[in-house]
Amino acid sequence: MNGFTNCTKRFRRLGAVGAAGLLLALTACAENAPQTTFEPAGPVARTINNLANPVFIVAGIVFLLVQGLVVVAVVKFRARPGDDGPEPRQVHGNTRLEVGWTLIPALILFAIAIPTIKTIFDLSHTPDNALNVTVIGHQFWWEYRYDDLGISTANELNIPAGVPVSLTLESVDVIHSYWIPALAGKTDVIPGRTNRMHFEADNPGTYLGQCTEYCGLSHANMRALAIAHTPAEFDAWVAAQRAPAVTPGSSSAAFEGLNLFNAKGCAGCHTVAGVSQGKVGPELTHLYSRTTFAGSTLALDEENLRLWLENPPGVKPGSLMPNLGLTEEEITQLIAYLETLK
Ligand code: CUA
């Protein structure tokens, strides 16, 4: 009777542990998961997904089999109360078993290696008609240079949908890693070294990514955003990026802002075509053609710009842009100027 109650208790405890484990597993499921790897939005990500899915299934079966046998062994051969007989027979070596559990995993690995190597070769080929973009990692934002088109921008990678994009990856400071899960796997961005990757978006849309190599205090604030346009929209975007910056008329708040931009040192770090040539911070010539700033962590609007200009390292710890000690009025004027940079 006593043994029976003990047993029920133990099973209840086991059930509770199982339920907790299931709950933990379920927390990994999210409705809104823009960075999921399970919804590829382009041929490169799809090729990777088509390899990862069957490998995961094979690994899952092996895992369940091995763990299941471990649980069976633990339960079946556990010590029981009153078990004071002689020690069970000790077994050493079993040729047939050992050959089996060496050969079967070797065959499984070999079977997985064939599609894996094929995928590696498939992905190593960059399509000839690709759009070339140089991606430069900075603490803590991305610079994009379209050298063939003579334009550059920051934080948001604008691409045409349905066209392969070839990325040349470089870093000016530390190791970053470029990853837009819906479009491709990650590739490290290493100072003094040039890495390459390529991808293509099937459809116009916005694809969120993330720096995936710890690169300093604001590593988590170093987002990556790819915006895929229809080819016509992309051409319009390129044309707009090529346009010169607008110079605000004198005696406007924006004109005061332009003066502050030069006087407060902004010009030393940021490029505004025709105004300044700073290379430390993001290019601002067409800032307001973008939707986000500060490593794509903030929506580009007046409220967020104010928050940012009041104290950049307070928003993005480790930011190279210092707190310039601007007054409220100066911030208002600077924002008025930035808003003209469309
Ligand atoms: Cu850049 Cu982490």
Side-chain angles (χ1 to χ4, degrees), residues 43-54:
V44 171
R46 204 155 36 240
T47 303
I48 296 170
N49 202 43
N50 288 345
L51 174 68
N53 282 339

Side-chain angles (χ1 to χ4, degrees), residues 61-144:
I61 292 171
V62 170
F63 176 81
L64 290 178
L65 203 70
V66 171
Q67 298 307 314
L69 288 173
V70 167
V71 170
V72 166
V74 164
V75 172
K76 193 172 173 200
F77 301 108
R78 71 188 186 278
R80 292 179 173 85
D83 248 4
D84 31 18
E87 200 178 285
R89 191 165 63 87
Q90 302 296 301
V91 179
H92 297 285
N94 183 321
T95 311
R96 220 185 297 165
L97 261 180
E98 285 169 17
V99 168
W101 72 45
T102 305
L103 213 58
I104 293 170
L107 287 175
I108 293 174
L109 288 178
F110 185 72
I112 289 175
I114 295 169
T116 304
I117 291 169
K118 184 178 179 309
T119 302
I120 290 171
F121 277 91
D122 285 350
L123 291 181
S124 68
H125 172 74
T126 306
D128 299 329
N129 59 336
L131 169 73
N132 292 311
V133 183
T134 303
V135 179
I136 301 163
H138 295 255
Q139 285 172 314
F140 300 95
W141 57 281
W142 301 103
E143 177 182 354
Y144 299 108

